[in-house]
Structure formats: structure tokens, C-alpha cells
PDB file of all heavy atoms in Angstrom:
ATOM      1  N   TYR A 161     -69.417  23.759 -10.289  1.00  0.00           N
ATOM      2  CA  TYR A 161     -69.086  22.662  -9.404  1.00  0.00           C
ATOM      3  C   TYR A 161     -68.001  21.737 -10.183  1.00  0.00           C
ATOM      4  O   TYR A 161     -67.962  21.711 -11.290  1.00  0.00           O
ATOM      5  CB  TYR A 161     -70.319  21.811  -9.280  1.00  0.00           C
ATOM      6  CG  TYR A 161     -71.388  22.612  -8.524  1.00  0.00           C
ATOM      7  CD1 TYR A 161     -72.415  23.354  -9.229  1.00  0.00           C
ATOM      8  CD2 TYR A 161     -71.449  22.480  -7.113  1.00  0.00           C
ATOM      9  CE1 TYR A 161     -73.302  24.061  -8.438  1.00  0.00           C
ATOM     10  CE2 TYR A 161     -72.370  23.206  -6.325  1.00  0.00           C
ATOM     11  CZ  TYR A 161     -73.328  23.872  -6.973  1.00  0.00           C
ATOM     12  OH  TYR A 161     -74.304  24.635  -6.344  1.00  0.00           O
ATOM     13  N   LEU A 162     -67.299  21.028  -9.301  1.00  0.00           N
ATOM     14  CA  LEU A 162     -66.442  20.001  -9.784  1.00  0.00           C
ATOM     15  C   LEU A 162     -67.342  18.925 -10.351  1.00  0.00           C
ATOM     16  O   LEU A 162     -68.286  18.653  -9.827  1.00  0.00           O
ATOM     17  CB  LEU A 162     -65.603  19.449  -8.508  1.00  0.00           C
ATOM     18  CG  LEU A 162     -64.637  18.337  -8.728  1.00  0.00           C
ATOM     19  CD1 LEU A 162     -63.385  18.919  -9.540  1.00  0.00           C
ATOM     20  CD2 LEU A 162     -64.334  17.779  -7.473  1.00  0.00           C
ATOM     21  N   ASP A 163     -66.824  18.419 -11.570  1.00  0.00           N
ATOM     22  CA  ASP A 163     -67.746  17.439 -12.234  1.00  0.00           C
ATOM     23  C   ASP A 163     -68.171  16.291 -11.343  1.00  0.00           C
ATOM     24  O   ASP A 163     -69.250  15.813 -11.494  1.00  0.00           O
ATOM     25  CB  ASP A 163     -66.885  17.000 -13.406  1.00  0.00           C
ATOM     26  CG  ASP A 163     -66.814  17.963 -14.636  1.00  0.00           C
ATOM     27  OD1 ASP A 163     -67.548  18.916 -14.626  1.00  0.00           O
ATOM     28  OD2 ASP A 163     -66.027  17.705 -15.467  1.00  0.00           O
ATOM     29  N   SER A 164     -67.380  15.756 -10.512  1.00  0.00           N
ATOM     30  CA  SER A 164     -67.718  14.686  -9.673  1.00  0.00           C
ATOM     31  C   SER A 164     -68.684  14.955  -8.697  1.00  0.00           C
ATOM     32  O   SER A 164     -69.288  13.900  -8.038  1.00  0.00           O
ATOM     33  CB  SER A 164     -66.369  14.041  -8.983  1.00  0.00           C
ATOM     34  OG  SER A 164     -65.843  14.990  -8.120  1.00  0.00           O
ATOM     35  N   VAL A 165     -69.022  16.163  -8.355  1.00  0.00           N
ATOM     36  CA  VAL A 165     -70.090  16.473  -7.347  1.00  0.00           C
ATOM     37  C   VAL A 165     -71.258  17.082  -8.009  1.00  0.00           C
ATOM     38  O   VAL A 165     -72.294  17.281  -7.297  1.00  0.00           O
ATOM     39  CB  VAL A 165     -69.502  17.373  -6.281  1.00  0.00           C
ATOM     40  CG1 VAL A 165     -68.175  16.909  -5.636  1.00  0.00           C
ATOM     41  CG2 VAL A 165     -69.302  18.849  -6.723  1.00  0.00           C
ATOM     42  N   LYS A 166     -71.301  17.319  -9.191  1.00  0.00           N
ATOM     43  CA  LYS A 166     -72.513  17.957  -9.921  1.00  0.00           C
ATOM     44  C   LYS A 166     -73.707  16.956  -9.618  1.00  0.00           C
ATOM     45  O   LYS A 166     -73.626  15.792  -9.754  1.00  0.00           O
ATOM     46  CB  LYS A 166     -72.236  18.088 -11.431  1.00  0.00           C
ATOM     47  CG  LYS A 166     -71.251  19.237 -11.745  1.00  0.00           C
ATOM     48  CD  LYS A 166     -71.079  19.385 -13.220  1.00  0.00           C
ATOM     49  CE  LYS A 166     -70.224  20.611 -13.566  1.00  0.00           C
ATOM     50  NZ  LYS A 166     -69.992  20.610 -14.891  1.00  0.00           N
ATOM     51  N   GLY A 167     -74.874  17.515  -9.416  1.00  0.00           N
ATOM     52  CA  GLY A 167     -75.946  16.868  -9.079  1.00  0.00           C
ATOM     53  C   GLY A 167     -76.118  16.294  -7.678  1.00  0.00           C
ATOM     54  O   GLY A 167     -77.148  15.948  -7.274  1.00  0.00           O
ATOM     55  N   ARG A 168     -75.099  16.511  -6.830  1.00  0.00           N
ATOM     56  CA  ARG A 168     -75.029  15.871  -5.524  1.00  0.00           C
ATOM     57  C   ARG A 168     -74.840  17.014  -4.566  1.00  0.00           C
ATOM     58  O   ARG A 168     -75.367  16.978  -3.457  1.00  0.00           O
ATOM     59  CB  ARG A 168     -73.951  14.850  -5.298  1.00  0.00           C
ATOM     60  CG  ARG A 168     -74.117  13.752  -6.240  1.00  0.00           C
ATOM     61  CD  ARG A 168     -73.230  12.564  -5.863  1.00  0.00           C
ATOM     62  NE  ARG A 168     -71.688  12.919  -6.017  1.00  0.00           N
ATOM     63  CZ  ARG A 168     -70.897  12.971  -4.987  1.00  0.00           C
ATOM     64  NH1 ARG A 168     -71.241  12.723  -3.805  1.00  0.00           N
ATOM     65  NH2 ARG A 168     -69.519  13.333  -5.360  1.00  0.00           N
ATOM     66  N   PHE A 169     -73.958  17.977  -4.895  1.00  0.00           N
ATOM     67  CA  PHE A 169     -73.695  19.149  -3.965  1.00  0.00           C
ATOM     68  C   PHE A 169     -74.370  20.417  -4.558  1.00  0.00           C
ATOM     69  O   PHE A 169     -74.409  20.599  -5.730  1.00  0.00           O
ATOM     70  CB  PHE A 169     -72.178  19.341  -3.909  1.00  0.00           C
ATOM     71  CG  PHE A 169     -71.395  18.285  -3.318  1.00  0.00           C
ATOM     72  CD1 PHE A 169     -71.995  17.039  -2.958  1.00  0.00           C
ATOM     73  CD2 PHE A 169     -70.019  18.540  -2.917  1.00  0.00           C
ATOM     74  CE1 PHE A 169     -71.143  16.054  -2.288  1.00  0.00           C
ATOM     75  CE2 PHE A 169     -69.299  17.552  -2.209  1.00  0.00           C
ATOM     76  CZ  PHE A 169     -69.969  16.296  -1.948  1.00  0.00           C
ATOM     77  N   THR A 170     -74.710  21.358  -3.500  1.00  0.00           N
ATOM     78  CA  THR A 170     -75.139  22.651  -3.891  1.00  0.00           C
ATOM     79  C   THR A 170     -74.442  23.686  -3.038  1.00  0.00           C
ATOM     80  O   THR A 170     -73.936  23.247  -1.914  1.00  0.00           O
ATOM     81  CB  THR A 170     -76.613  22.890  -3.933  1.00  0.00           C
ATOM     82  OG1 THR A 170     -77.146  22.565  -2.552  1.00  0.00           O
ATOM     83  CG2 THR A 170     -77.357  21.989  -5.032  1.00  0.00           C
ATOM     84  N   ILE A 171     -74.380  24.871  -3.404  1.00  0.00           N
ATOM     85  CA  ILE A 171     -73.610  25.865  -2.537  1.00  0.00           C
ATOM     86  C   ILE A 171     -74.497  27.057  -2.280  1.00  0.00           C
ATOM     87  O   ILE A 171     -74.301  28.187  -2.860  1.00  0.00           O
ATOM     88  CB  ILE A 171     -72.294  26.228  -3.347  1.00  0.00           C
ATOM     89  CG1 ILE A 171     -71.404  27.240  -2.375  1.00  0.00           C
ATOM     90  CG2 ILE A 171     -72.459  26.770  -4.632  1.00  0.00           C
ATOM     91  CD1 ILE A 171     -69.991  27.354  -2.908  1.00  0.00           C
ATOM     92  N   PRO A 172     -75.418  26.911  -1.348  1.00  0.00           N
ATOM     93  CA  PRO A 172     -76.279  28.086  -1.002  1.00  0.00           C
ATOM     94  C   PRO A 172     -75.479  29.216  -0.349  1.00  0.00           C
ATOM     95  O   PRO A 172     -74.441  28.905   0.344  1.00  0.00           O
ATOM     96  CB  PRO A 172     -77.271  27.559  -0.066  1.00  0.00           C
ATOM     97  CG  PRO A 172     -77.225  26.018  -0.290  1.00  0.00           C
ATOM     98  CD  PRO A 172     -75.755  25.790  -0.635  1.00  0.00           C
ATOM     99  N   LYS A 173     -75.923  30.468  -0.386  1.00  0.00           N
ATOM    100  CA  LYS A 173     -75.265  31.507   0.265  1.00  0.00           C
ATOM    101  C   LYS A 173     -76.322  32.466   0.909  1.00  0.00           C
ATOM    102  O   LYS A 173     -77.372  32.687   0.312  1.00  0.00           O
ATOM    103  CB  LYS A 173     -74.402  32.280  -0.690  1.00  0.00           C
ATOM    104  CG  LYS A 173     -73.609  33.470   0.017  1.00  0.00           C
ATOM    105  CD  LYS A 173     -72.382  33.880  -0.912  1.00  0.00           C
ATOM    106  CE  LYS A 173     -72.906  34.458  -2.277  1.00  0.00           C
ATOM    107  NZ  LYS A 173     -73.218  35.896  -2.096  1.00  0.00           N
ATOM    108  N   ASP A 174     -76.002  32.891   2.103  1.00  0.00           N
ATOM    109  CA  ASP A 174     -76.927  33.878   2.797  1.00  0.00           C
ATOM    110  C   ASP A 174     -76.187  35.020   3.026  1.00  0.00           C
ATOM    111  O   ASP A 174     -75.277  35.072   3.884  1.00  0.00           O
ATOM    112  CB  ASP A 174     -77.541  33.326   4.117  1.00  0.00           C
ATOM    113  CG  ASP A 174     -78.458  34.078   4.825  1.00  0.00           C
ATOM    114  OD1 ASP A 174     -78.408  35.307   4.722  1.00  0.00           O
ATOM    115  OD2 ASP A 174     -79.391  33.470   5.462  1.00  0.00           O
ATOM    116  N   ASN A 175     -76.445  36.129   2.277  1.00  0.00           N
ATOM    117  CA  ASN A 175     -75.614  37.440   2.493  1.00  0.00           C
ATOM    118  C   ASN A 175     -76.001  38.158   3.777  1.00  0.00           C
ATOM    119  O   ASN A 175     -75.017  38.832   4.260  1.00  0.00           O
ATOM    120  CB  ASN A 175     -75.962  38.350   1.257  1.00  0.00           C
ATOM    121  CG  ASN A 175     -75.397  37.752  -0.057  1.00  0.00           C
ATOM    122  OD1 ASN A 175     -74.314  37.081  -0.051  1.00  0.00           O
ATOM    123  ND2 ASN A 175     -76.077  38.027  -1.130  1.00  0.00           N
ATOM    124  N   VAL A 176     -77.101  37.958   4.189  1.00  0.00           N
ATOM    125  CA  VAL A 176     -77.475  38.654   5.441  1.00  0.00           C
ATOM    126  C   VAL A 176     -76.801  38.067   6.692  1.00  0.00           C
ATOM    127  O   VAL A 176     -76.144  38.742   7.531  1.00  0.00           O
ATOM    128  CB  VAL A 176     -78.970  38.563   5.706  1.00  0.00           C
ATOM    129  CG1 VAL A 176     -79.323  39.195   7.114  1.00  0.00           C
ATOM    130  CG2 VAL A 176     -79.753  39.322   4.676  1.00  0.00           C
ATOM    131  N   LYS A 177     -76.734  36.755   6.742  1.00  0.00           N
ATOM    132  CA  LYS A 177     -75.968  36.010   7.685  1.00  0.00           C
ATOM    133  C   LYS A 177     -74.514  35.821   7.467  1.00  0.00           C
ATOM    134  O   LYS A 177     -73.750  35.508   8.362  1.00  0.00           O
ATOM    135  CB  LYS A 177     -76.555  34.581   7.893  1.00  0.00           C
ATOM    136  CG  LYS A 177     -77.909  34.546   8.459  1.00  0.00           C
ATOM    137  CD  LYS A 177     -78.284  33.087   8.658  1.00  0.00           C
ATOM    138  CE  LYS A 177     -79.810  32.994   9.120  1.00  0.00           C
ATOM    139  NZ  LYS A 177     -80.271  31.691   9.464  1.00  0.00           N
ATOM    140  N   LYS A 178     -73.980  36.350   6.257  1.00  0.00           N
ATOM    141  CA  LYS A 178     -72.685  36.266   5.943  1.00  0.00           C
ATOM    142  C   LYS A 178     -72.085  34.820   5.973  1.00  0.00           C
ATOM    143  O   LYS A 178     -71.066  34.644   6.579  1.00  0.00           O
ATOM    144  CB  LYS A 178     -71.776  37.381   6.853  1.00  0.00           C
ATOM    145  CG  LYS A 178     -72.197  38.748   6.644  1.00  0.00           C
ATOM    146  CD  LYS A 178     -71.355  39.544   7.549  1.00  0.00           C
ATOM    147  CE  LYS A 178     -71.578  40.989   7.491  1.00  0.00           C
ATOM    148  NZ  LYS A 178     -70.909  41.913   8.339  1.00  0.00           N
ATOM    149  N   SER A 179     -72.951  33.934   5.485  1.00  0.00           N
ATOM    150  CA  SER A 179     -72.597  32.617   5.628  1.00  0.00           C
ATOM    151  C   SER A 179     -72.744  31.879   4.153  1.00  0.00           C
ATOM    152  O   SER A 179     -73.609  32.164   3.498  1.00  0.00           O
ATOM    153  CB  SER A 179     -73.533  31.892   6.602  1.00  0.00           C
ATOM    154  OG  SER A 179     -73.370  32.367   7.900  1.00  0.00           O
ATOM    155  N   LEU A 180     -71.821  30.983   4.039  1.00  0.00           N
ATOM    156  CA  LEU A 180     -71.826  30.076   2.949  1.00  0.00           C
ATOM    157  C   LEU A 180     -71.946  28.700   3.292  1.00  0.00           C
ATOM    158  O   LEU A 180     -71.526  28.336   4.509  1.00  0.00           O
ATOM    159  CB  LEU A 180     -70.510  30.183   2.098  1.00  0.00           C
ATOM    160  CG  LEU A 180     -70.334  29.470   0.850  1.00  0.00           C
ATOM    161  CD1 LEU A 180     -71.099  30.044  -0.243  1.00  0.00           C
ATOM    162  CD2 LEU A 180     -68.888  29.393   0.562  1.00  0.00           C
ATOM    163  N   TYR A 181     -72.658  27.887   2.564  1.00  0.00           N
ATOM    164  CA  TYR A 181     -73.061  26.494   2.854  1.00  0.00           C
ATOM    165  C   TYR A 181     -72.536  25.575   1.775  1.00  0.00           C
ATOM    166  O   TYR A 181     -72.421  26.025   0.587  1.00  0.00           O
ATOM    167  CB  TYR A 181     -74.480  26.328   3.214  1.00  0.00           C
ATOM    168  CG  TYR A 181     -75.057  27.302   4.186  1.00  0.00           C
ATOM    169  CD1 TYR A 181     -75.552  28.534   3.773  1.00  0.00           C
ATOM    170  CD2 TYR A 181     -74.918  27.072   5.542  1.00  0.00           C
ATOM    171  CE1 TYR A 181     -76.071  29.475   4.671  1.00  0.00           C
ATOM    172  CE2 TYR A 181     -75.421  27.932   6.417  1.00  0.00           C
ATOM    173  CZ  TYR A 181     -75.977  29.164   6.117  1.00  0.00           C
ATOM    174  OH  TYR A 181     -76.418  30.051   6.966  1.00  0.00           O
ATOM    175  N   LEU A 182     -72.392  24.392   2.108  1.00  0.00           N
ATOM    176  CA  LEU A 182     -72.208  23.334   1.121  1.00  0.00           C
ATOM    177  C   LEU A 182     -73.156  22.124   1.532  1.00  0.00           C
ATOM    178  O   LEU A 182     -72.875  21.474   2.536  1.00  0.00           O
ATOM    179  CB  LEU A 182     -70.819  22.837   1.079  1.00  0.00           C
ATOM    180  CG  LEU A 182     -70.523  21.784  -0.106  1.00  0.00           C
ATOM    181  CD1 LEU A 182     -70.602  22.535  -1.433  1.00  0.00           C
ATOM    182  CD2 LEU A 182     -69.021  21.285   0.089  1.00  0.00           C
ATOM    183  N   GLN A 183     -74.170  22.060   0.692  1.00  0.00           N
ATOM    184  CA  GLN A 183     -75.132  21.000   0.987  1.00  0.00           C
ATOM    185  C   GLN A 183     -74.604  19.747   0.230  1.00  0.00           C
ATOM    186  O   GLN A 183     -74.637  19.831  -1.084  1.00  0.00           O
ATOM    187  CB  GLN A 183     -76.580  21.353   0.510  1.00  0.00           C
ATOM    188  CG  GLN A 183     -77.544  20.212   0.624  1.00  0.00           C
ATOM    189  CD  GLN A 183     -77.740  19.808   2.087  1.00  0.00           C
ATOM    190  OE1 GLN A 183     -77.970  20.797   2.931  1.00  0.00           O
ATOM    191  NE2 GLN A 183     -77.758  18.633   2.424  1.00  0.00           N
ATOM    192  N   MET A 184     -74.275  18.681   0.929  1.00  0.00           N
ATOM    193  CA  MET A 184     -73.746  17.449   0.238  1.00  0.00           C
ATOM    194  C   MET A 184     -74.739  16.378   0.376  1.00  0.00           C
ATOM    195  O   MET A 184     -74.955  15.911   1.378  1.00  0.00           O
ATOM    196  CB  MET A 184     -72.377  17.197   0.849  1.00  0.00           C
ATOM    197  CG  MET A 184     -71.365  18.297   0.837  1.00  0.00           C
ATOM    198  SD  MET A 184     -69.755  17.787   1.416  1.00  0.00           S
ATOM    199  CE  MET A 184     -70.183  17.698   3.203  1.00  0.00           C
ATOM    200  N   ASN A 185     -75.221  15.871  -0.744  1.00  0.00           N
ATOM    201  CA  ASN A 185     -76.058  14.758  -0.689  1.00  0.00           C
ATOM    202  C   ASN A 185     -75.493  13.589  -1.494  1.00  0.00           C
ATOM    203  O   ASN A 185     -74.511  13.666  -2.173  1.00  0.00           O
ATOM    204  CB  ASN A 185     -77.455  15.077  -1.395  1.00  0.00           C
ATOM    205  CG  ASN A 185     -78.178  16.199  -0.793  1.00  0.00           C
ATOM    206  OD1 ASN A 185     -78.085  16.380   0.484  1.00  0.00           O
ATOM    207  ND2 ASN A 185     -78.748  17.041  -1.526  1.00  0.00           N
ATOM    208  N   SER A 186     -76.048  12.352  -1.154  1.00  0.00           N
ATOM    209  CA  SER A 186     -75.502  11.159  -1.919  1.00  0.00           C
ATOM    210  C   SER A 186     -74.000  11.002  -1.828  1.00  0.00           C
ATOM    211  O   SER A 186     -73.268  10.768  -2.765  1.00  0.00           O
ATOM    212  CB  SER A 186     -75.941  11.152  -3.395  1.00  0.00           C
ATOM    213  OG  SER A 186     -77.328  11.231  -3.559  1.00  0.00           O
ATOM    214  N   LEU A 187     -73.441  11.221  -0.560  1.00  0.00           N
ATOM    215  CA  LEU A 187     -72.107  11.276  -0.334  1.00  0.00           C
ATOM    216  C   LEU A 187     -71.387   9.914  -0.747  1.00  0.00           C
ATOM    217  O   LEU A 187     -72.107   8.843  -0.416  1.00  0.00           O
ATOM    218  CB  LEU A 187     -71.746  11.586   1.060  1.00  0.00           C
ATOM    219  CG  LEU A 187     -71.895  13.093   1.437  1.00  0.00           C
ATOM    220  CD1 LEU A 187     -72.063  13.373   3.023  1.00  0.00           C
ATOM    221  CD2 LEU A 187     -70.621  13.827   0.858  1.00  0.00           C
ATOM    222  N   GLU A 188     -70.184   9.927  -1.142  1.00  0.00           N
ATOM    223  CA  GLU A 188     -69.474   8.810  -1.577  1.00  0.00           C
ATOM    224  C   GLU A 188     -68.156   8.882  -0.749  1.00  0.00           C
ATOM    225  O   GLU A 188     -67.653   9.762  -0.297  1.00  0.00           O
ATOM    226  CB  GLU A 188     -69.169   8.839  -3.046  1.00  0.00           C
ATOM    227  CG  GLU A 188     -70.427   8.972  -3.869  1.00  0.00           C
ATOM    228  CD  GLU A 188     -70.071   9.319  -5.381  1.00  0.00           C
ATOM    229  OE1 GLU A 188     -68.970   9.589  -5.660  1.00  0.00           O
ATOM    230  OE2 GLU A 188     -71.016   9.318  -6.130  1.00  0.00           O
ATOM    231  N   PRO A 189     -67.592   7.584  -0.552  1.00  0.00           N
ATOM    232  CA  PRO A 189     -66.341   7.521   0.152  1.00  0.00           C
ATOM    233  C   PRO A 189     -65.197   8.495  -0.466  1.00  0.00           C
ATOM    234  O   PRO A 189     -64.363   9.094   0.260  1.00  0.00           O
ATOM    235  CB  PRO A 189     -65.877   6.115   0.004  1.00  0.00           C
ATOM    236  CG  PRO A 189     -67.183   5.382  -0.085  1.00  0.00           C
ATOM    237  CD  PRO A 189     -68.108   6.233  -0.913  1.00  0.00           C
ATOM    238  N   GLU A 190     -65.247   8.683  -1.735  1.00  0.00           N
ATOM    239  CA  GLU A 190     -64.459   9.575  -2.529  1.00  0.00           C
ATOM    240  C   GLU A 190     -64.436  11.011  -2.067  1.00  0.00           C
ATOM    241  O   GLU A 190     -63.586  11.873  -2.348  1.00  0.00           O
ATOM    242  CB  GLU A 190     -64.458   9.489  -3.951  1.00  0.00           C
ATOM    243  CG  GLU A 190     -64.046   8.178  -4.486  1.00  0.00           C
ATOM    244  CD  GLU A 190     -64.989   6.920  -4.257  1.00  0.00           C
ATOM    245  OE1 GLU A 190     -66.182   7.180  -3.905  1.00  0.00           O
ATOM    246  OE2 GLU A 190     -64.592   5.808  -4.292  1.00  0.00           O
ATOM    247  N   ASP A 191     -65.583  11.393  -1.430  1.00  0.00           N
ATOM    248  CA  ASP A 191     -65.803  12.697  -0.849  1.00  0.00           C
ATOM    249  C   ASP A 191     -65.046  13.011   0.422  1.00  0.00           C
ATOM    250  O   ASP A 191     -65.039  14.138   0.946  1.00  0.00           O
ATOM    251  CB  ASP A 191     -67.237  12.998  -0.651  1.00  0.00           C
ATOM    252  CG  ASP A 191     -68.061  12.969  -2.010  1.00  0.00           C
ATOM    253  OD1 ASP A 191     -67.668  13.523  -3.088  1.00  0.00           O
ATOM    254  OD2 ASP A 191     -69.122  12.372  -2.034  1.00  0.00           O
ATOM    255  N   THR A 192     -64.481  11.939   1.052  1.00  0.00           N
ATOM    256  CA  THR A 192     -63.704  12.026   2.306  1.00  0.00           C
ATOM    257  C   THR A 192     -62.603  13.049   2.060  1.00  0.00           C
ATOM    258  O   THR A 192     -61.645  12.812   1.290  1.00  0.00           O
ATOM    259  CB  THR A 192     -63.169  10.715   2.754  1.00  0.00           C
ATOM    260  OG1 THR A 192     -64.324   9.944   3.016  1.00  0.00           O
ATOM    261  CG2 THR A 192     -62.381  10.974   3.971  1.00  0.00           C
ATOM    262  N   ALA A 193     -62.566  14.018   2.872  1.00  0.00           N
ATOM    263  CA  ALA A 193     -61.566  15.114   2.836  1.00  0.00           C
ATOM    264  C   ALA A 193     -61.654  16.088   3.860  1.00  0.00           C
ATOM    265  O   ALA A 193     -62.790  16.238   4.515  1.00  0.00           O
ATOM    266  CB  ALA A 193     -61.542  15.731   1.396  1.00  0.00           C
ATOM    267  N   MET A 194     -60.747  17.033   3.900  1.00  0.00           N
ATOM    268  CA  MET A 194     -60.867  18.219   4.811  1.00  0.00           C
ATOM    269  C   MET A 194     -61.377  19.284   3.799  1.00  0.00           C
ATOM    270  O   MET A 194     -60.947  19.519   2.776  1.00  0.00           O
ATOM    271  CB  MET A 194     -59.582  18.684   5.341  1.00  0.00           C
ATOM    272  CG  MET A 194     -59.638  19.942   6.188  1.00  0.00           C
ATOM    273  SD  MET A 194     -60.383  19.525   7.818  1.00  0.00           S
ATOM    274  CE  MET A 194     -59.014  18.626   8.599  1.00  0.00           C
ATOM    275  N   TYR A 195     -62.550  19.932   4.229  1.00  0.00           N
ATOM    276  CA  TYR A 195     -63.145  20.875   3.324  1.00  0.00           C
ATOM    277  C   TYR A 195     -62.845  22.300   3.957  1.00  0.00           C
ATOM    278  O   TYR A 195     -63.065  22.607   5.099  1.00  0.00           O
ATOM    279  CB  TYR A 195     -64.712  20.519   3.373  1.00  0.00           C
ATOM    280  CG  TYR A 195     -65.154  19.490   2.494  1.00  0.00           C
ATOM    281  CD1 TYR A 195     -64.788  18.167   2.888  1.00  0.00           C
ATOM    282  CD2 TYR A 195     -65.643  19.706   1.206  1.00  0.00           C
ATOM    283  CE1 TYR A 195     -65.073  17.098   1.926  1.00  0.00           C
ATOM    284  CE2 TYR A 195     -66.051  18.633   0.414  1.00  0.00           C
ATOM    285  CZ  TYR A 195     -65.754  17.332   0.825  1.00  0.00           C
ATOM    286  OH  TYR A 195     -66.084  16.403  -0.023  1.00  0.00           O
ATOM    287  N   TYR A 196     -62.566  23.179   2.942  1.00  0.00           N
ATOM    288  CA  TYR A 196     -62.176  24.509   3.277  1.00  0.00           C
ATOM    289  C   TYR A 196     -63.098  25.501   2.676  1.00  0.00           C
ATOM    290  O   TYR A 196     -63.269  25.340   1.341  1.00  0.00           O
ATOM    291  CB  TYR A 196     -60.776  24.803   2.931  1.00  0.00           C
ATOM    292  CG  TYR A 196     -59.663  23.946   3.502  1.00  0.00           C
ATOM    293  CD1 TYR A 196     -59.313  22.802   2.971  1.00  0.00           C
ATOM    294  CD2 TYR A 196     -58.970  24.368   4.676  1.00  0.00           C
ATOM    295  CE1 TYR A 196     -58.391  21.936   3.482  1.00  0.00           C
ATOM    296  CE2 TYR A 196     -58.141  23.625   5.283  1.00  0.00           C
ATOM    297  CZ  TYR A 196     -57.792  22.305   4.736  1.00  0.00           C
ATOM    298  OH  TYR A 196     -56.822  21.520   5.374  1.00  0.00           O
ATOM    299  N   CYS A 197     -63.583  26.476   3.348  1.00  0.00           N
ATOM    300  CA  CYS A 197     -64.294  27.595   2.873  1.00  0.00           C
ATOM    301  C   CYS A 197     -63.349  28.639   2.422  1.00  0.00           C
ATOM    302  O   CYS A 197     -62.259  28.898   3.055  1.00  0.00           O
ATOM    303  CB  CYS A 197     -65.187  28.189   3.953  1.00  0.00           C
ATOM    304  SG  CYS A 197     -66.120  29.709   3.458  1.00  0.00           S
ATOM    305  N   VAL A 198     -63.609  29.244   1.205  1.00  0.00           N
ATOM    306  CA  VAL A 198     -62.608  30.279   0.622  1.00  0.00           C
ATOM    307  C   VAL A 198     -63.365  31.435   0.081  1.00  0.00           C
ATOM    308  O   VAL A 198     -64.553  31.367  -0.157  1.00  0.00           O
ATOM    309  CB  VAL A 198     -61.785  29.538  -0.603  1.00  0.00           C
ATOM    310  CG1 VAL A 198     -60.955  28.370  -0.112  1.00  0.00           C
ATOM    311  CG2 VAL A 198     -62.820  29.167  -1.591  1.00  0.00           C
ATOM    312  N   ALA A 199     -62.630  32.522  -0.117  1.00  0.00           N
ATOM    313  CA  ALA A 199     -63.205  33.769  -0.527  1.00  0.00           C
ATOM    314  C   ALA A 199     -62.089  34.617  -1.172  1.00  0.00           C
ATOM    315  O   ALA A 199     -60.924  34.524  -0.733  1.00  0.00           O
ATOM    316  CB  ALA A 199     -63.874  34.594   0.614  1.00  0.00           C
TER     317      ALA A 199
END
């Protein structure tokens, strides 16, 4: 994880569903952005 999101974000993955997630908690204004999934 990026240092600034440690403890707030997690990145679960479901291989069966072929899906990746980003669970974002305790969001801050600095988190405002376009978010891109990558592989």
C-alpha cells in the first residue's frame, strides 16, 4: 500500500469472480482522484 493509505484501505480479490476491490475507509479529501484498476 501507498504509505498515506495504510490502515485505511485494503485490496481484497475474488479469483472466482475475477474481481478486484478497493475498500476505502476513513476517506480524506486528499483521496479525491480518478481511480484505475490495473493488471
Side-chain angles (χ1 to χ4, degrees):
Y161 297 91
L162 183 68
D163 284 345
S164 62
V165 309
K166 287 180 179 177
R168 300 189 296 118
F169 292 10
T170 58
I171 184 170
K173 181 160 69 81
D174 188 328
N175 292 326
V176 175
K177 293 183 177 180
K178 300 180 183 179
S179 293
L180 182 73
Y181 307 93
L182 185 66
Q183 180 64 49
M184 305 184 292
N185 300 322
S186 302
L187 282 162
E188 304 168 353
E190 292 74 21
D191 296 316
T192 295
M194 185 74 74
Y195 283 72
Y196 299 88
C197 179
V198 299

